[in-house]
Amino acid sequence: MRDVAKFADVSVATVSRVINGKGDVNPETRKRVEQAIEYLHYKPNDVARTLFRGKSKMIALFVPDIMNPFFPELARAVEDVTNKYNYTFILCNTDGDLEKELTYIDTLQQKAVDGFIIVSSTITDEMLKKISVPIIALDRFFHSELASITVDNYQGGREATEYLQSIGCQRIAHLCGPESASNTMERLRGYMDVVRDTDWFLSSYLLSCNYNMEQAKVMTMEMLRNHPEIDGIFAANDVMAIGAMKAAEQLGIRIPEDLAVIGFDGISVGEATSPTLTTMAQPIYDMGTRAAEMLMEQIQTQVAPKTIETFPVHLLERESTKRKKVAHG
Amino acid sequence: MRDVAKFADVSVATVSRVINGKGDVNPETRKRVEQAIEYLHYKPNDVARTLFRGKSKMIALFVPDIMNPFFPELARAVEDVTNKYNYTFILCNTDGDLEKELTYIDTLQQKAVDGFIIVSSTITDEMLKKISVPIIALDRFFHSELASITVDNYQGGREATEYLQSIGCQRIAHLCGPESASNTMERLRGYMDVVRDTDWFLSSYLLSCNYNMEQAKVMTMEMLRNHPEIDGIFAANDVMAIGAMKAAEQLGIRIPEDLAVIGFDGISVGEATSPTLTTMAQPIYDMGTRAAEMLMEQIQTQVAPKTIETFPVHLLERESTKRKKVAHG
DNA sequence: GTGAAAGCGCTAACAC
DNA sequence: GTGTTAGCGCTTTCAC
């Protein structure tokens, strides 16, 4: 910058004015400075700016694990928005581990990140207190004091279950995610409200699986052996639904003829399985976009409106439930 | 920091010494400073350190698209290593777009990132010249002046093709990736060296598909219609292999009985399809780890040894090729 | 319209 | 063993 100033025969202050387009600069001077910048290939040092401003134009996204296909799409959406605003995007895998989250928070705040978007089941007040910049909860709800973007998980759980009924399923099991995650608990509630008062419901139709495919497969296999009467499975995410389908396949149970399977999320892998997976699709990319936009707004305006936004889910009917509709009941 | 100094009744220089463990500090003074730090919850400002040092302890990974399941695993590996070294990890989706890459390079160097790991087919000398920090090419080779981590793509292509022959395939087609990518060109060369001199090979058995599932499906469908004699497909990545399987399914062609399919990469989605996908598996996580370790080393030692490392691939035999072995020829 | 100078928070000479 | 100070590269009052 000093070089530029010298070259254009002005002071660094003027160079700064030109770069930032702030303050009045004589058009001729401006031109001279611009040429000097061009000629010297000058690029402002962002670190120095950050030091002065206390803002880095970086935001971070915390996800439990990027290897679950749900999250790359979310990450992609956030990155696209941050690019639009000329921000830099930092992705952090937390493994759902509070320690890791806390470490990331410290490190990143020392680097003056301007905001956080967090997918986490382990958000604590301690954690929130540490964070002095805007923060948005995504995919999982924490409490009403924290701005959040989620889908209507309860409604989704309900619809998925009712849909299985509507295609003729008489015994519907549910694969639930980890208890700590608010989203899966809501989906469970939706399921329970449909099945609780039926004459067939058994508590052993309810499996707790940690959003994990391998585990879902093993547990489903055992359940289907003990309960051959099950003719429908609602899995709380697509990855578990795929595990359930693998289990059925291994047991020689046909999908969808003997057993209908519906997942939750709408990840594109669901199109790659055979049969393709019916699912309650979330508008994943839109949610990521919205969360990022909201964060940008909070960063720019300095106000945190604690908005709670809930997106709808929609039924994506594919092969794993494609039966002729049957009258039932 | 001034607050800490005041509180501990020392100068900022001493505080700095304590924090960095450099220079001699009287044990008692040290203790006092440490207590002050503790008491005031002091965290050093990393931006100021970066400004002074010219190094940010951040590295960036460029990938074409995080939504291809191959890359999350790579990204995960890199992140794990950067965490180990207390570095911060920045993920960038380039969409294979040179403009985006160039923009990222500028932005990040202004933020003083310490190194780059780049998965790209569009690396240019112009790009390399812009980068004044260590850089490693991953998954795709550029030229011998640039350190790189790849697999033996030629050997993999060869083995995949020979394997299809060994299980009795008589007419083997190949789905190729984008011409600009060195990896797919090598796989193609491996395939060609096996089939070129056979009496059955036709140039129309060779399809160019851009690593894209939808496109692979459409093109495979057309090829299988025109060439019902094809009984084996080697796809240059798993995503295209899945597209090919979808195409076969839609045409009522049975896998593996009528048509054997082998992919390349070894992404875990290959286990979720049915039939599960046979593939030439790359040690994805190891490659990511190695690239990151190599970068860390170059950053620390300031020397760039231009190492070219080639990892082996191995055959992962799954259902999409599970036939009884047949004598042939 | 432009320049001089202070200061963002830290580190590394250099004194003492 | 510890304090003083210059300076990393930038922005922004405050004079002129």
Side-chain angles (χ1 to χ4, degrees):
Chain A
M1 181 157 168
R2 264 210 309 276
D3 299 340
V4 175
K6 204 164 291 173
F7 192 89
D9 197 30
V10 294
S11 73
V12 290
T14 303
V15 177
S16 176
R17 287 193 190 99
V18 171
I19 289 167
N20 296 296
K22 282 183 186 171
D24 300 318
V25 181
N26 184 309
E28 278 179 33
T29 320
R30 154 166 295 123
K31 182 148 260 169
R32 242 181 23 253
V33 172
E34 279 164 352
Q35 280 167 351
I37 289 174
E38 177 80 10
Y39 181 74
L40 298 170
H41 298 297
Y42 167 76
K43 293 274 176 350
N45 179 325
D46 209 55
V47 181
R49 284 156 99 119
T50 300
L51 179 59
F52 182 84
R53 298 206 167 105
K55 293 175 163 291
S56 62
K57 297 196 111 200
M58 300 194 294
I59 69 158
L61 170 67
F62 286 13
V63 298
D65 184 8
I66 194 68
M67 288 175 60
N68 176 337
F70 180 78
F71 296 113
E73 192 165 345
L74 221 44
R76 185 59 213 250
V78 173
E79 188 190 4
D80 287 347
V81 175
T82 55
N83 277 347
K84 192 175 99 188
Y85 287 88
N86 286 115
Y87 274 62
T88 297
F89 164 72
I90 295 179
L91 177 70
C92 306
N93 281 297
T94 63
D95 297 327
D97 177 352
L98 185 57
E99 276 310 311
K100 268 187 103 171
E101 290 176 333
L102 258 22
T103 309
Y104 269 127
I105 289 174
D106 279 344
T107 311
L108 293 172
Q109 291 207 122
Q110 290 176 41
K111 289 189 181 299
V113 293
D114 299 346
F116 291 91
I117 299 176
I118 297 194
V119 179
S120 169
S121 307
T122 51
I123 297 181
T124 59
D125 282 314
E126 172 200 10
M127 196 166 138
L128 259 35
K129 218 177 304 162
K130 282 188 107 163
I131 299 183
S132 49
V133 291
I135 165 175
I136 313 269
L138 179 54
D139 181 47
R140 305 179 193 187
F141 177 81
F142 179 53
H143 64 42
S144 56
E145 287 305 298
L146 180 60
S148 70
I149 306 281
T150 55
V151 290
D152 192 340
N153 288 296
Y154 171 76
Q155 180 62 18
R158 238 196 125 92
E159 271 182 39
T161 316
E162 286 170 346
Y163 167 72
L164 288 179
Q165 285 186 325
S166 81
I167 61 166
C169 296
Q170 315 258 357
R171 301 281 189 281
I172 301 171
H174 179 52
L175 302 184
C176 190
E179 274 177 45
S180 55
S182 68
N183 52 11
T184 197
M185 287 297 110
E186 285 297 293
R187 292 168 202 173
L188 169 62
R189 200 161 63 78
Y191 164 78
M192 286 304 294
D193 279 3
V194 175
V195 304
R196 191 185 344 257
D197 295 330
T198 61
D199 49 11
W200 53 262
F201 179 69
L202 299 174
S203 64
S204 49
Y205 287 2
L206 201 55
L207 262 46
S208 197
C209 294
N210 269 336
Y211 280 154
N212 173 293
M213 165 169 150
E214 221 23 72
Q215 196 192 353
K217 179 179 164 187
V218 172
M219 295 183 72
T220 303
M221 196 116 67
E222 189 181 333
M223 181 178 64
L224 289 175
R225 276 212 201 85
N226 297 337
H227 296 286
E229 75 276 14
I230 286 172
D231 57 1
I233 293 182
F234 162 40
N237 78 357
D238 286 347
V239 170
M240 293 193 297
I242 291 170
M245 292 208 293
K246 297 254 110 190
E249 193 191 347
Q250 205 149 319
L251 294 173
I253 297 172
R254 290 171 310 165
I255 298 176
E257 294 81 356
D258 306 330
L259 177 70
V261 175
I262 183 170
F264 204 112
D265 279 354
I267 59 181
S268 57
V269 182
E271 292 167 29
T273 58
S274 20
T276 53
L277 179 65
T278 295
T279 189
M280 297 302 305
Q282 305 191 45
I284 309 178
Y285 189 89
D286 293 344
M287 291 166 66
T289 303
R290 186 70 193 105
E293 291 279 3
M294 198 185 270
L295 184 61
M296 285 294 143
E297 202 183 308
Q298 293 202 11
I299 290 172
Q300 244 118 66
T301 62
Q302 298 283 47
V303 298
K306 316 293 183 212
T307 328
I308 308 292
E309 284 189 21
T310 308
F311 280 65
V313 291
H314 76 274
L315 178 68
L316 204 55
E317 213 171 346
R318 291 194 286 223
E319 295 163 3
S320 67
T321 55
K322 273 269 168 60
R323 305 178 178 177
K324 297 155 209 88
K325 301 228 172 186
V326 231
H328 70 288
Chain B
M1 180 156 170
R2 265 209 309 273
D3 299 341
V4 174
K6 204 165 290 171
F7 191 90
D9 198 28
V10 294
S11 73
V12 290
T14 304
V15 177
S16 175
R17 288 194 189 96
V18 171
I19 289 169
N20 296 296
K22 282 184 186 170
D24 299 318
V25 181
N26 185 310
E28 279 180 32
T29 319
R30 156 167 293 122
K31 181 150 262 169
R32 245 186 13 258
V33 172
E34 279 165 353
Q35 281 167 350
I37 288 174
E38 177 81 10
Y39 180 74
L40 297 171
H41 298 296
Y42 167 77
K43 293 274 174 352
N45 180 324
D46 208 55
V47 181
R49 282 156 101 121
T50 299
L51 179 59
F52 182 83
R53 296 205 166 106
K55 294 177 160 294
S56 61
K57 297 196 114 200
M58 301 194 294
I59 67 158
L61 170 67
F62 287 13
V63 298
D65 184 8
I66 193 68
M67 289 175 61
N68 176 338
F70 179 78
F71 296 114
E73 191 165 344
L74 221 44
R76 186 58 212 251
V78 173
E79 188 190 5
D80 287 347
V81 175
T82 56
N83 277 345
K84 192 175 101 190
Y85 288 88
N86 286 116
Y87 274 61
T88 298
F89 164 72
I90 295 179
L91 176 71
C92 306
N93 281 297
T94 63
D95 297 326
D97 176 353
L98 185 58
E99 276 309 312
K100 269 187 102 171
E101 290 176 334
L102 259 20
T103 309
Y104 270 127
I105 288 173
D106 278 344
T107 311
L108 294 172
Q109 290 207 121
Q110 289 176 40
K111 289 189 180 300
V113 292
D114 299 347
F116 291 90
I117 299 176
I118 297 194
V119 179
S120 169
S121 308
T122 53
I123 298 180
T124 59
D125 282 312
E126 173 201 11
M127 196 165 137
L128 259 36
K129 218 178 304 164
K130 282 188 105 163
I131 299 184
S132 49
V133 292
I135 164 172
I136 313 268
L138 178 55
D139 180 48
R140 304 178 194 188
F141 177 81
F142 179 53
H143 64 41
S144 57
E145 286 307 297
L146 179 60
S148 72
I149 306 281
T150 54
V151 290
D152 192 339
N153 288 295
Y154 171 75
Q155 180 62 20
R158 235 194 128 94
E159 271 183 38
T161 315
E162 286 171 346
Y163 168 72
L164 288 179
Q165 285 186 324
S166 81
I167 61 166
C169 295
Q170 315 257 359
R171 298 282 188 282
I172 301 172
H174 179 52
L175 302 184
C176 189
E179 272 177 47
S180 56
S182 68
N183 52 12
T184 195
M185 286 299 109
E186 285 297 293
R187 292 167 202 172
L188 168 62
R189 200 161 62 81
Y191 164 78
M192 285 305 292
D193 278 3
V194 175
V195 303
R196 195 186 338 257
D197 294 329
T198 61
D199 49 11
W200 52 261
F201 177 69
L202 299 175
S203 65
S204 48
Y205 287 2
L206 202 53
L207 263 44
S208 197
C209 292
N210 268 336
Y211 281 155
N212 171 292
M213 165 169 148
E214 219 25 70
Q215 196 192 352
K217 179 178 163 188
V218 172
M219 294 184 73
T220 304
M221 195 115 68
E222 188 181 333
M223 181 178 63
L224 289 175
R225 277 212 200 87
N226 296 336
H227 295 286
E229 74 276 16
I230 287 171
D231 56 2
I233 292 181
F234 161 39
N237 78 356
D238 286 348
V239 169
M240 292 194 296
I242 292 170
M245 293 208 293
K246 297 254 110 191
E249 192 192 348
Q250 204 148 320
L251 294 173
I253 297 172
R254 292 170 310 165
I255 298 176
E257 295 82 355
D258 305 330
L259 178 70
V261 176
I262 184 169
F264 203 111
D265 279 354
I267 60 181
S268 57
V269 181
E271 291 167 29
T273 56
S274 29
T276 53
L277 179 66
T278 294
T279 188
M280 296 305 303
Q282 305 190 46
I284 308 178
Y285 189 89
D286 293 345
M287 291 166 66
T289 304
R290 186 68 193 104
E293 291 279 4
M294 198 185 270
L295 184 62
M296 286 296 150
E297 202 183 307
Q298 293 202 11
I299 290 172
Q300 246 118 64
T301 62
Q302 298 283 49
V303 297
K306 316 292 181 216
T307 329
I308 308 291
E309 285 190 18
T310 308
F311 281 65
V313 291
H314 75 275
L315 178 68
L316 205 57
E317 214 171 346
R318 289 194 289 226
E319 294 162 3
S320 66
T321 55
K322 274 271 167 59
R323 308 177 177 177
K324 296 153 211 90
K325 299 228 175 187
V326 232
H328 70 288

